[in-house]
Amino acid sequence: MCDTSSVHGGPDDLGVPLHDFSTNANACGPCPPALAAVQAADPRLYPDPRYTALRALLAELHGVDATRIVLAASASEFIHRITALAHLRGARVVALPAHSYGDYAQAAVARGLSVVRPDDAGGASAGLHWACEPSSPLGTVDPAMTQWRAEGDATQARASAAWRVIDCAYRPLQLEDAGQSAQALPSTAWQLWTPNKALGMTGVRAAYAVAPQCSPSEDLASLLALAPSWPVGAHGLAMLTAWATSDAQQWLAGSLVTLRGWKAAQLAACSSLGW
């Protein structure tokens, strides 16, 4: 039976744990420019309900048209929303990676959809297919990504019939070249970005998705219609705005150098202990 629990770490009724490895947040964080932006956010006002300026910044960061940017309250919220839309469009089976974030399955099971893994029969009939870039928790190349890259843009018609979503939560924190992870993302899949992990600010709940160029306008309109009003509040707006700046991106690049050094030291310590 599929575990649909949404609990995955963080504080509980015993308080904040001394060490929490569940969030996979950047250990160098919080990112100073992003933290300053969140602390300076004005909570008295509603954000622009269309997030016009923010969507323009994120579109420039990814080199796409602003119409392809969809704001979300969090990655978890977007997972549930796009699963709901895929279900409305006729999806009955959801394909997941061998190891994956629990909300993929939770969103599917909540809507009565079947969940399959790579070795399960029925994967070919999946109406919604998830992949991670890089895979979690192994940090390797997700086999689905290999397949989607090999197919290329020639399968846009097929991709439009099956929703494909790439969870890019850990792509900004990639420490080594994991082969195909260094390549461009497949253009026929949605990209889900959660900068709070890379910025070391997982307590700020805000995310966004980049629609594939071939995505029908009615799909974008439906995703917006399924969203609550103002899914991103003032503090999430400030964090995502900071994420799109050169200051935050430069800090992130510098943090990866530090993380590589810490990883090497940790591996050396484990090796010295015979692990």
Side-chain angles (χ1 to χ4, degrees):
M1 183 173 177
C2 182
D3 180 11
T4 60
S5 172
S6 61
V7 177
H8 90 76
D12 54 21
D13 53 354
L14 298 178
V16 179
L18 182 60
H19 301 291
D20 182 2
F21 299 102
S22 69
T23 65
N24 293 323
N26 189 336
C28 294
C31 169
L35 177 61
V38 170
Q39 290 173 331
D42 188 349
R44 298 173 301 169
L45 304 174
Y46 284 116
D48 166 15
R50 295 181 178 83
Y51 301 97
T52 307
L54 173 59
R55 289 169 65 229
L57 287 173
L58 295 172
E60 183 179 1
L61 179 66
H62 291 276
V64 301
D65 189 272
T67 58
R68 292 170 57 188
I69 302 296
V70 177
L71 274 297
S74 66
S76 297
E77 185 271 320
F78 184 82
I79 289 166
H80 280 263
R81 199 193 325 170
I82 200 168
T83 301
L85 182 54
H87 184 206
L88 290 172
R89 291 287 196 269
R92 296 295 178 264
V93 179
V94 178
L96 309 183
H99 310 284
S100 63
Y101 185 41
D103 280 39
Y104 307 154
Q106 183 193 21
V109 172
R111 289 161 180 81
L113 306 181
S114 299
V115 174
V116 297
R117 303 281 178 174
D119 294 333
D120 296 335
S125 64
L128 174 61
H129 196 150
W130 288 93
C132 298
E133 176 71 354
S135 70
S136 174
L138 303 179
T140 54
V141 176
D142 191 318
M145 295 293 296
T146 302
Q147 175 188 340
W148 297 352
R149 284 188 171 110
E151 291 174 350
D153 295 340
T155 58
Q156 286 188 0
R158 179 179 178 275
S160 65
W163 294 76
R164 293 175 167 180
V165 190
I166 305 168
D167 190 335
C168 301
Y170 304 114
R171 186 173 170 91
L173 291 171
Q174 188 90 13
L175 297 184
E176 292 90 18
D177 177 5
Q180 295 181 60
S181 290
Q183 301 178 21
L185 296 172
S187 62
T188 55
W190 284 78
Q191 302 171 21
L192 176 57
W193 294 86
T194 47
N196 57 0
K197 291 184 181 293
L199 297 174
M201 302 173 64
T202 55
V204 182
R205 310 302 294 156
Y208 63 95
V210 181
Q213 190 170 2
C214 60
S215 184
S217 58
E218 55 265 32
D219 287 346
L220 292 167
S222 295
L223 275 173
L224 293 176
L226 286 170
S229 301
W230 297 287
V232 178
H235 298 92
L237 174 64
M239 182 189 71
L240 292 180
T241 299
W243 164 254
T245 66
S246 58
D247 286 347
Q249 294 298 316
Q250 289 172 6
W251 174 87
L252 174 61
S255 75
L256 297 183
V257 176
T258 301
L259 292 173
R260 290 187 188 101
W262 288 349
K263 179 179 180 179
Q266 184 180 40
L267 290 173
C270 291
S271 179
S272 69
L273 294 171
W275 295 351

